[in-house]
């Protein structure tokens, strides 16, 4: 399956960490956020990586070159930061089947494979990993309404008064139908072409989008304290099997080792 990573953001809220690098190249636990994303996508079966770059794009291109762990990388340049739907359209010519989409500012330790599996079952036109967050945090994200079947019925982008506390996390699967919806999207009140608006157009056309509840955790690295939180969680993940083996005298199983894992990858 093809995979798209949106990594064009400046990350102004992460300054000074982003004074000399794009948001996706901020290091978390000793390696760029983008490396965490690539590792997970390759593990999920990505056979092509398409990376949307913008701010200080040379830092990303020179670091990774044309492949990652043997998987080819193609770069697309979003020249103006006009929103996630606008960013996604820069890779349209390369995508010919179902694909994964990840926002390049998230660290995941979660059930991403469930989203990919649902897409491959051909039961839905898209599948999103979603998470319940504290109500006071929901306005930072795309907020989802769902029906009794676990299908998304509407998405509202960063609402002042969230209708629910179920939010999109920054990991999705789509068919190429999303590109037509992105073309039809109009600028929002923020002046951006919102992915949530494109999703709503898909829903209005009768498409089905499944919501997969997150099992695990993710950190949207939008502020310096988020980076610290992600590093703390990854360290805890590494320490847990060691602590258990010390108490039992047994070696930790290989499967217990850590796997390095929305916010707005296109944010100002």
């Amino acid at each position: 399956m093809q995979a798209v990573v949106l990594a064009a953001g400046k990350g102004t809220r992460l300054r000074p960490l982003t004074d000399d690098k794009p948001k996706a190249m901020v290091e978390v636990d000793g390696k760029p956020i983008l490396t965490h994303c690539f590792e997970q996508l390759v593990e999920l079966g990505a056979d092509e990586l398409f990376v949307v770059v913008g701010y200080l794009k040379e830092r990303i291109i020179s670091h990774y070159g044309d492949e990652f762990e043997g998987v080819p990388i193609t770069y697309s340049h979003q020249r103006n930061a006009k929103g996630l739907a606008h960013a996604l359209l820069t890779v349209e010519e390369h995508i010919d089947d179902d694909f994964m989409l990840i926002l390049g500012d998230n660290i995941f330790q979660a059930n991403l494979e469930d989203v990919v599996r649902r897409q491959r079952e051909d039961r839905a036109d898209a599948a999103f990993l979603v998470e319940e967050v504290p109500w006071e945090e929901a306005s930072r994200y795309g907020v989802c309404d769902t029906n009794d079947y676990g299908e998304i019925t509407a998405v509202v982008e960063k609402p002042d008064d969230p209708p629910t506390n179920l939010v999109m996390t920054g990991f999705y699967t789509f068919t190429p139908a999303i590109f037509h919806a992105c073309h039809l999207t109009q600028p929002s009140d923020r002046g951006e072409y919102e992915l949530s608006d494109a999703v709503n157009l898909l829903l209005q056309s009768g498409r089905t989008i499944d919501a997969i509840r997150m099992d695990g955790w993710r950190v949207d690295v939008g502020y310096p304290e988020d980076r610290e939180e992600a590093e703390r969680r990854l360290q805890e993940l590494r320490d847990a099997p060691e602590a258990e083996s010390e108490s039992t005298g047994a070696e930790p199983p290989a499967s217990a080792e850590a796997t390095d894992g929305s916010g707005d990858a296109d944010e100002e």
Side-chain angles (χ1 to χ4, degrees), residues 6-36:
L6 302 187
K10 293 182 178 179
T12 56
R13 296 190 294 263
L14 276 166
R15 287 175 177 164
L17 297 174
T18 52
D19 283 346
D20 62 348
K21 63 175 69 71
K23 187 180 186 181
M25 291 301 290
V26 169
E27 289 198 355
V28 173
D29 202 37
K31 55 190 173 186
I33 301 171
L34 204 49
T35 298
H36 291 277

Side-chain angles (χ1 to χ4, degrees), residues 35-198:
T35 298
H36 291 277
C37 293
F38 285 172
E39 288 176 344
Q40 292 201 304
L41 291 170
V42 170
E43 184 177 351
L44 288 166
D47 50 19
E48 291 182 279
L49 297 169
F50 299 92
V51 185
V52 180
V53 295
Y55 173 69
L56 296 178
K57 66 182 187 299
E58 296 82 7
R59 293 293 302 271
I60 294 175
I61 296 170
S62 63
H63 184 87
Y64 294 103
D66 58 5
E67 67 173 42
F68 179 84
E69 295 183 359
V71 177
I73 300 175
T74 299
Y75 300 96
S76 296
H77 185 197
Q78 185 186 23
R79 299 183 184 279
N80 299 300
K82 295 183 178 179
L84 298 184
H86 178 265
L88 187 54
L89 283 174
T90 67
V91 301
E92 179 181 13
E93 64 180 306
H94 303 294
I95 304 299
D96 55 18
D97 205 343
D98 293 4
F99 66 99
M100 296 177 273
L101 173 66
I102 192 169
L103 304 189
D105 55 4
N106 283 262
I107 301 293
F108 284 98
Q109 183 64 36
N111 54 322
L112 306 185
E113 66 279 1
D114 290 343
V115 183
V116 176
R117 186 179 304 115
R118 181 64 58 86
Q119 187 73 32
R120 286 174 171 158
E121 290 173 352
D122 292 329
R123 288 187 51 226
D125 298 288
F128 298 171
L129 189 69
V130 299
E131 174 188 16
E132 286 191 21
V133 301
W135 280 92
E136 62 272 17
E137 295 180 14
S139 60
R140 293 176 56 187
Y141 305 102
V143 177
C144 305
D145 267 336
T146 57
N147 61 22
D148 293 339
Y149 301 100
E151 298 167 347
I152 293 174
T153 57
V155 178
V156 185
E157 184 66 28
K158 299 182 179 178
D160 292 331
D161 185 18
T164 75
N165 65 334
L166 189 68
V167 305
M168 299 192 292
T169 63
F171 185 75
Y172 322 78
T173 56
F174 287 105
T175 70
I178 187 61
F179 295 113
H180 180 64
C182 287
H183 278 293
L184 296 177
T185 299
Q186 299 299 309
S188 66
D189 291 341
R190 301 195 304 158
E192 296 189 357
Y193 296 87
E194 310 282 4
L195 182 60
S196 56
D197 289 343

